[in-house]
């Protein structure tokens, strides 16, 4: 889906579709939600503030920060470390 979309179309889907799916994969509790899945999700969430303008994703900032607070309490240290990095990027996003 992402490869076939134009950049303008993709920007509108970031806050309405992509970010909620990423947040959902962080909070999903199932055997399929492995450490690698949670780390990949946090890596993707870390890239969003670097790749998109504040005006595009500012509405999702609060929801992402809430999900990242919960991810900082994950039982795996690697996930907690990635969550802290992503949290700091989102927290400082737009404060420049």
């Amino acid at each position: 889906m992402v490869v076939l979309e134009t950049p303008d179309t993709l920007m509108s889907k970031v806050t309405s579709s992509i970010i909620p799916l990423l947040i959902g994969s962080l909070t999903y509790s199932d055997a399929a939600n492995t450490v690698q899945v949670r780390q990949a999700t946090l890596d993707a969430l870390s890239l969003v503030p670097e790749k998109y303008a504040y005006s595009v994703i500012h509405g999702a900032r609060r929801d992402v920060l809430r999900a990242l607070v919960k991810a900082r309490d994950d039982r795996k240290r690697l996930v907690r470390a990635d969550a802290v990095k992503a949290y700091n990027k989102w927290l400082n996003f737009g404060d420049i």
Side-chain angles (χ1 to χ4, degrees), residues 23-52:
I23 290 172
S25 68
L26 275 179
T27 58
Y28 187 67
S29 59
D30 190 42
N33 193 9
T34 63
V35 173
Q36 291 83 11
V37 170
R38 294 192 305 272
Q39 283 184 300
T41 300
L42 290 167
D43 289 342
L45 282 172
S46 293
L47 290 175
V48 171
E50 295 175 7
K51 302 296 180 185
Y52 294 98

Side-chain angles (χ1 to χ4, degrees), residues 53-68:
Y54 180 77
S55 60
V56 174
I57 59 172
H58 75 278
R61 184 175 183 226
R62 182 178 50 188
D63 296 332
V64 172
L65 287 173
R66 285 182 184 164
L68 291 172

